[in-house]
Amino acid sequence: MKIIRQIFWGMVVLAVGAPAIGASSQGAWVLALGFGVLGFFWVGFSQRHRFMGLIFALCIAGIAMAAGLDVGMGWLLVGITAALAAWDLEAFGARMAGVARIEHEHALVRDHLRRLGMVCSAGLLLATLASFVRIQLSFGVALVLASIAVLGLGYVLRGIGE
């Protein structure tokens, strides 16, 4: 469990640090300071699982604000990927802490971290590649594609829940 906490802290630092550096390079010092405060609260309230979703949502909102200020996409991609990883690690740690006895804990943690690393790497790679592609879509086509993505995600999540 200690390795989960250490990696979680590292992901929080990346999640708020990368967009903060990008925002400060654009002169948005208030937003950069906001990321620092958010990181402090995220680590401070990490044991209170009620606040986990709210702090994650605030981090994503801050990254969206940074995107509106023309912060470099690299800073934002690293930040959002690290935020998702931190959110996942916090939830994983909470699930493990809620169990009295875990058999093969080391193997379970290792497998989770390996899968998380693969998903984050693939997501970062695909997002980086997608940032170089420019496609003009009408609103109707974009709406249909978004609907298919939402329905597909719902199908996958239902499959995981069974």
Side-chain angles (χ1 to χ4, degrees), residues 78-130:
V78 168
I80 202 160
T81 303
L84 285 166
W87 179 68
D88 176 78
L89 288 171
E90 182 63 27
F92 181 69
R95 283 191 308 270
M96 289 192 58
V99 176
R101 182 173 163 256
I102 302 170
E103 291 185 24
H104 309 292
E105 179 180 351
H106 181 68
L108 183 65
V109 168
R110 184 188 66 233
D111 288 346
H112 186 81
L113 290 175
R114 185 172 31 98
R115 287 187 184 116
L116 181 62
M118 289 188 315
V119 167
C120 288
S121 298
L124 220 99
L125 177 67
L126 290 173
T128 302
L129 292 174

Side-chain angles (χ1 to χ4, degrees), residues 1-10 43 46-47 90:
M1 286 294 286
K2 186 177 179 182
I3 189 75
I4 294 289
R5 296 298 309 159
Q6 290 172 340
I7 296 173
F8 165 75
W9 290 337
V43 170
S46 66
Q47 299 300 317
E90 182 63 27

Side-chain angles (χ1 to χ4, degrees), residues 16-137:
V16 297
I21 291 170
S24 64
S25 71
Q26 291 295 96
W29 296 103
V30 173
L31 185 59
L33 180 64
F35 276 117
V37 170
L38 183 64
F40 174 77
F41 281 120
W42 199 344
V43 170
F45 287 122
S46 66
Q47 299 300 317
R48 294 184 178 96
H49 305 295
R50 292 178 299 179
F51 297 111
M52 184 173 57
L54 174 65
I55 293 174
F56 172 72
L58 289 172
C59 184
I60 299 302
I63 291 171
M65 287 174 48
L69 296 173
D70 292 329
V71 172
M73 191 57 64
W75 298 112
L76 303 180
L77 288 177
V78 168
I80 202 160
T81 303
L84 285 166
W87 179 68
D88 176 78
L89 288 171
E90 182 63 27
F92 181 69
R95 283 191 308 270
M96 289 192 58
V99 176
R101 182 173 163 256
I102 302 170
E103 291 185 24
H104 309 292
E105 179 180 351
H106 181 68
L108 183 65
V109 168
R110 184 188 66 233
D111 288 346
H112 186 81
L113 290 175
R114 185 172 31 98
R115 287 187 184 116
L116 181 62
M118 289 188 315
V119 167
C120 288
S121 298
L124 220 99
L125 177 67
L126 290 173
T128 302
L129 292 174
S131 69
F132 292 113
V133 176
R134 300 285 181 232
I135 298 174
Q136 295 289 336
L137 297 176

Side-chain angles (χ1 to χ4, degrees), residues 147-161:
S147 298
I148 290 170
V150 168
L151 291 173
L153 182 61
Y155 178 75
V156 168
L157 291 176
R158 277 191 303 278
I160 291 173

